[in-house]
Amino acid sequence: MPTAQNPAQWIEVGGHRSAGYAREVCPECPQDQEKWVTQLQEPPA
């Protein structure tokens, strides 16, 4: 399963629905892109 589908599946299994668009947030972006941290966020309703 693609990583981007994990939040959607978690919301559905929990009996919720999405309240908006998913987004990517990169709170840590050092020079070396291999060390980047990326969060996938999707608001549940």
Side-chain angles (χ1 to χ4, degrees):
M1 166 185 332
T3 303
Q5 291 179 343
N6 287 341
Q9 184 180 23
W10 181 85
I11 289 171
E12 184 178 334
V13 168
H16 304 286
R17 61 182 179 82
S18 178
Y21 294 103
R23 65 182 178 187
E24 290 184 8
V25 178
C26 298
E28 296 182 31
C29 300
Q31 290 285 340
D32 182 1
Q33 290 186 6
E34 294 292 320
K35 295 181 181 178
W36 282 19
V37 174
T38 303
Q39 298 175 351
L40 300 175
Q41 301 177 349
E42 186 168 348

